[in-house]
Amino acid sequence: MAELQHLSTHVTYADITGDTAIFRLKDEIDLHTSPDLRTDILGALTKGEVKKLVLNLEKVPYVDSSAIAVMVEALQKLRKAGGKVYLTNLSPRVKGLLEIARLDSIFSVVANEADVAAS
Amino acid sequence: MAELQHLSTHVTYADITGDTAIFRLKDEIDLHTSPDLRTDILGALTKGEVKKLVLNLEKVPYVDSSAIAVMVEALQKLRKAGGKVYLTNLSPRVKGLLEIARLDSIFSVVANEADVAAS
Amino acid sequence: MTTPALRMDLTSNPAEIASARKSIEAFAGAAGFDERATADIGLCVNEAIANIIRHAYGSAKDKPIEMHADMVADAMMITLRDWGNGRMPDLNKSVDPNTLCPGGLGLPCLKALLDGLKFEPQSDGMLLRMTKRKR
Amino acid sequence: MTTPALRMDLTSNPAEIASARKSIEAFAGAAGFDERATADIGLCVNEAIANIIRHAYGSAKDKPIEMHADMVADAMMITLRDWGNGRMPDLNKSVDPNTLCPGGLGLPCLKALLDGLKFEPQSDGMLLRMTKRKR
Ligand SMILES: Nc1ncnc2c1ncn2[C@@H]1O[C@H](COP(=O)(O)OP(=O)(O)O)[C@@H](O)[C@H]1O
Ligand SMILES: Nc1ncnc2c1ncn2[C@@H]1O[C@H](COP(=O)(O)OP(=O)(O)O)[C@@H](O)[C@H]1O
């Protein structure tokens, strides 16, 4: 897509179709790399009528709180429009951090991308 | 076996049947742990009529030169009796060290234990 | 000081956080911490350094941070020294998942995952002491 | 000194080799060395420390060893300092696979895997400088 050309190296795939934006991410995301990811993700939310943001974290072994903060910020924006953030394919370590942060319930955590439609 | 009771924690299985002694090893082996392994292996060679020593390294991700030295010492002993040392299931890292040490040709490197009989 | 002891000289550049995290995790793994505790230690070091960068140094990228770690009996003692504003963080704040505020997650992580957490203001910065026991 | 820099205070106990090896490998991985080069660096540190323990300290287990590592451009510079016998090893010996001698493998590994290897005798021990470039 023209709108998503200069993506962070942590984005392996990005697609906006209808009201759904999908990002597949990779590698460890910490304070060094989360700012670029923030630009990509929040940027996508300003285009079109996105209501569902899907972050596929299958290839992400590790995130720190700055990556979680990006997800929370996206959720803030989407909630105003009645939208949701879906997190898919979480590794145990990433799931663990969401639990410590007591944020596992504010996101829609699903097994994989296919389950987003079903949810 | 009675003779192989107090084995190093790096030995998960040991068997002497006829002229063949098999050791399955595990974990990283360096100067800290190779002395116990040396005791086990050279000890086994003094019992009975061992001519084939099989070291299965499938669960060994790493060895240093002190572990290689144990293998060489075993080979020295066995060669006097016309015997051989078989190394099976080598990880790329362990194989790499044997190559650097130019010792890959003095051992009988085979894919797995079944290939020992065939060789 | 007990050995082995690990020390890292870092700069307040977010690019160096990964190096600190991976090194301390390897050190913890070699010291016998299980996978879970090792990951916790790595995350705490990450979060503590991120806080120093952002709060003690106001995101300046060229300031020194010293990390030190060793084992005392069954516990890893980690210190982080900075020469920043020396301000005490408010340790009583907790996360309210309902306010949906991005941020405020670092200190709660440290409190949840560590066995000991102590900020000791210095005349010229801060000394943070973290303790993690094997369980 | 460039950052991040890693320093480890070790004792000449073989039980500490794994900690040094794993920490330097994590540090190298974070510095961008590929898997192969990272493994080479870990092995070289292992072999160099084993040599210090056995040859410089005659296998005494309670003597100090200091390791230091940092990146200068695309190269990792690693130093190992000991306070042992300070004897220069013979760098010209090579492995003859036909003699079947267990031992003599450490130095050939260092020579084969490193881009730089220098023993600098000190008045009270040895300083070993090892260099590994990214390729
Ligand atoms: N190292 C520090 N130095 C000074 N203030 C700090 C430090 N760490 C944390 N703080 C303060 O504590 C607050 C909460 O920190 P934290 O839980 O990590 O959340 P965040 O950094 O995401 O705001 C920060 O907003 C800051 O005011
Ligand atoms: N750090 C050291 N201090 C003094 N002598 C050393 C040191 N390292 C190696 N040497 C000498 O070099 C020889 C070869 O070393 P090396 O190749 O590691 O084989 P090994 O240690 O297995 O004999 C040793 O036998 C020793 O005499």
Side-chain angles (χ1 to χ4, degrees), chain A residues 4 6-8 11 23 35-45:
Chain A
L4 296 173
H6 301 292
L7 292 168
S8 138
V11 178
F23 285 84
D36 281 353
L37 189 66
R38 178 176 181 278
T39 305
D40 293 341
I41 289 178
L42 298 188
L45 298 189

Side-chain angles (χ1 to χ4, degrees), chain C residues 51-52 54-56 85 87 89-90 93 103-108 119:
Chain C
N51 278 349
I52 291 172
R54 296 189 306 139
H55 302 303
N85 64 17
R87 215 168 291 153
D90 179 358
K93 258 199 286 185
L105 298 178
L107 288 176
F119 289 84

Side-chain angles (χ1 to χ4, degrees), chain C residues 5-38:
Chain C
L6 179 87
R7 188 178 124 172
M8 290 192 78
D9 294 304
L10 302 157
T11 303
S12 57
N13 186 330
E16 296 191 13
I17 293 178
S19 184
R21 177 175 74 244
K22 288 173 188 181
S23 298
I24 196 94
E25 286 183 5
F27 185 72
F33 283 88
D34 64 26
E35 206 175 316
R36 175 76 181 265
T38 297

Side-chain angles (χ1 to χ4, degrees), chain C residues 23-98:
Chain C
S23 298
I24 196 94
E25 286 183 5
F27 185 72
F33 283 88
D34 64 26
E35 206 175 316
R36 175 76 181 265
T38 297
D40 291 349
I41 289 171
L43 179 63
C44 288
V45 161
N46 180 323
E47 296 300 329
I49 294 176
N51 278 349
I52 291 172
I53 294 175
R54 296 189 306 139
H55 302 303
Y57 283 134
S59 295
K61 286 194 175 174
D62 57 350
K63 305 297 181 189
I65 301 172
E66 262 183 38
M67 176 168 78
H68 188 276
D70 61 9
M71 294 293 296
V72 175
D74 248 19
M76 182 171 289
M77 318 292 281
I78 304 169
T79 62
L80 282 165
R81 175 72 158 99
D82 70 63
W83 288 263
N85 64 17
R87 215 168 291 153
M88 277 297 282
D90 179 358
L91 290 173
N92 295 316
K93 258 199 286 185
S94 62
V95 199
D96 177 357
N98 300 313

Side-chain angles (χ1 to χ4, degrees), chain A residues 8-116:
Chain A
S8 138
T9 54
H10 284 70
V11 178
T12 61
Y13 171 91
D15 177 73
I16 303 182
T17 301
D19 67 352
T20 304
I22 299 179
F23 285 84
R24 294 185 193 143
L25 309 180
K26 68 163 181 182
D27 297 342
E28 307 185 330
I29 304 171
D30 64 16
L31 186 62
H32 179 46
T33 47
S34 57
D36 281 353
L37 189 66
R38 178 176 181 278
T39 305
D40 293 341
I41 289 178
L42 298 188
L45 298 189
T46 63
K47 327 245 182 235
E49 303 293 308
V50 175
K51 293 216 169 171
K52 294 181 179 184
L53 170 66
V54 182
L55 301 177
N56 182 335
L57 300 174
E58 183 176 3
K59 302 248 158 60
V60 176
Y62 176 81
V63 298
D64 76 355
S65 72
S66 74
I68 305 275
V70 172
M71 300 174 196
V72 172
E73 213 177 334
L75 181 58
Q76 282 181 318
K77 291 222 186 312
L78 282 176
R79 275 215 181 148
K80 288 180 193 146
K84 277 187 171 188
V85 174
Y86 295 83
L87 306 181
T88 86
N89 305 77
L90 299 188
S91 71
R93 194 164 175 177
V94 173
K95 195 174 267 174
L97 177 55
L98 284 173
E99 284 163 12
I100 297 161
R102 299 204 283 141
L103 292 174
D104 45 326
S105 57
I106 68 164
F107 297 109
S108 305
V109 177
V110 296
N112 48 50
E113 290 182 26
D115 284 1
V116 172

